[in-house]
Amino acid sequence: MENTTHFGFKQVATNDKQSLVRDVFNSVAGKYDLMNDILSFGTHRLWKHYAITSGNIKMGDKVLDIAGGTGDLTMEFTRQVGDNGQVILSDINTTMLHEGRKKLTNKGIFGVEFIQLNAQYLPFKNNTFDCVSIAFGLRNVTNQDQALEEMYRILKPSGCLLILEFSTTNSVLLKKIYDFYSFKIIPKLGDIIANDKTSYQYLAESIRKHPNQKTLKNMVLNAGFDFCEYHNLSSGIVALHKGVKV
């Protein structure tokens, strides 16, 4: 029997998910930043700022931004590490990497390395990075446990992992509002603005399939991390998990 996994609310062959996710982001890449601003009412910038400031990144550090997309986190990491540090913007999707390179270049940010990679197979030696981040990308990874183990492996001792991702709110009222917005409004806006209803339907569904805060915390610890804590943002609609490798 063929192994299957979820792609939104659908069950698909495990080997097919990566290409299906790639098709989604090929489609949305050109309007990705615009749609983020519209769909989150700009709040994604506050969520990302909180994640960036939680990394305790110092001048000279080496940082890997996984699923870095259009480079919002990479931009700030570059300023934090200075000329003697290094930031790598990585993504599995070439179209998103192109958008990230174009955006950073237009903002006069150079020295960033761009690498296309799969989070499940990180092409780096053990104990390489001071910080590894993944923002709104983990839910698209086929084997999340394997990816977390890889992130642990490439972090230096005392290095930190930052996972910024949509999560689960405990507010009954907010959940009703959020579900209505996610399934009734977001796909329609995706259709009107990005001419792509299907991709935004998937993105809404993928959030619901992502592990909740406590489950993800346990996954981080099971991957080898000695410490993990999470902080809810916007009443748990988004959560930042921070893992530390001692």
Side-chain angles (χ1 to χ4, degrees):
M1 183 176 178
E2 188 174 24
N3 290 331
T4 62
T5 188
H6 59 82
F7 176 73
F9 290 161
K10 300 175 184 176
Q11 284 295 118
V12 299
T14 301
N15 292 337
D16 291 343
K17 180 170 180 176
Q18 181 178 321
S19 63
L20 291 168
V21 170
R22 181 176 62 242
D23 290 345
V24 167
F25 285 92
N26 280 339
S27 177
V28 305
K31 297 285 182 67
Y32 188 76
D33 284 341
L34 174 64
M35 289 297 289
N36 278 349
D37 280 333
I38 292 172
L39 296 180
S40 74
F41 306 99
T43 311
H44 76 100
R45 298 177 183 274
L46 300 177
W47 298 331
K48 290 170 181 174
H49 178 74
Y50 182 81
I52 291 161
T53 56
S54 298
N56 301 320
I57 294 166
K58 306 179 296 299
M59 299 289 284
D61 276 358
K62 190 168 184 176
V63 179
L64 174 64
D65 187 10
I66 299 175
T70 56
D72 283 347
L73 272 68
T74 292
M75 244 185 323
E76 295 304 317
F77 288 149
T78 302
R79 297 187 178 103
Q80 290 179 335
V81 303
D83 294 338
N84 294 325
Q86 181 185 17
V87 181
I88 296 175
L89 170 57
S90 69
D91 204 288
I92 198 170
N93 185 282
T94 53
T95 309
M96 291 294 286
L97 271 180
H98 173 74
E99 291 294 325
R101 185 191 297 271
K102 181 170 66 175
K103 178 175 170 180
L104 295 183
T105 300
N106 288 343
K107 291 183 176 293
I109 297 174
F110 303 98
V112 173
E113 187 176 353
F114 298 86
I115 299 179
Q116 183 179 5
L117 56 74
N118 185 330
Q120 296 172 202
Y121 309 98
L122 299 176
F124 306 105
K125 295 181 180 179
N126 296 352
N127 308 318
T128 297
F129 294 94
D130 298 285
C131 179
V132 172
S133 69
I134 180 166
F136 304 112
L138 186 62
R139 72 182 189 279
N140 298 309
V141 175
T142 303
N143 189 329
Q144 296 174 351
D145 290 320
Q146 182 178 333
L148 291 170
E149 289 171 2
E150 279 287 272
M151 295 173 202
Y152 176 83
R153 179 184 64 77
I154 65 169
L155 274 169
K156 296 176 183 177
S158 78
C160 78
L161 169 66
L162 301 174
I163 304 172
L164 184 65
E165 188 55 89
F166 290 105
S167 200
T168 306
T169 178
N170 289 324
S171 168
V172 175
L173 176 60
L174 183 57
K175 185 179 185 302
K176 288 182 179 179
I177 296 170
Y178 186 44
D179 282 348
F180 176 80
Y181 180 68
S182 296
F183 295 111
K184 300 297 184 183
I185 305 300
I186 286 179
K188 288 183 180 179
L189 289 175
D191 189 22
I192 294 167
I193 300 168
N195 195 31
D196 189 346
K197 178 179 180 180
T198 303
S199 291
Y200 282 93
Q201 180 76 31
Y202 159 73
L203 292 173
E205 291 175 1
S206 68
I207 292 169
R208 301 316 190 279
K209 300 297 290 185
H210 187 67
N212 65 22
Q213 291 90 327
K214 290 183 179 179
T215 302
L216 182 54
K217 176 180 177 178
N218 287 331
M219 289 169 63
V220 172
L221 293 172
N222 289 338
F225 286 86
D226 302 275
F227 170 82
C228 181
E229 64 179 2
Y230 64 85
H231 296 278
N232 286 330
L233 307 173
S234 300
S235 299
I237 287 176
V238 168
L240 174 69
H241 285 71
K242 181 176 180 179
V244 178
K245 176 179 179 177
V246 175

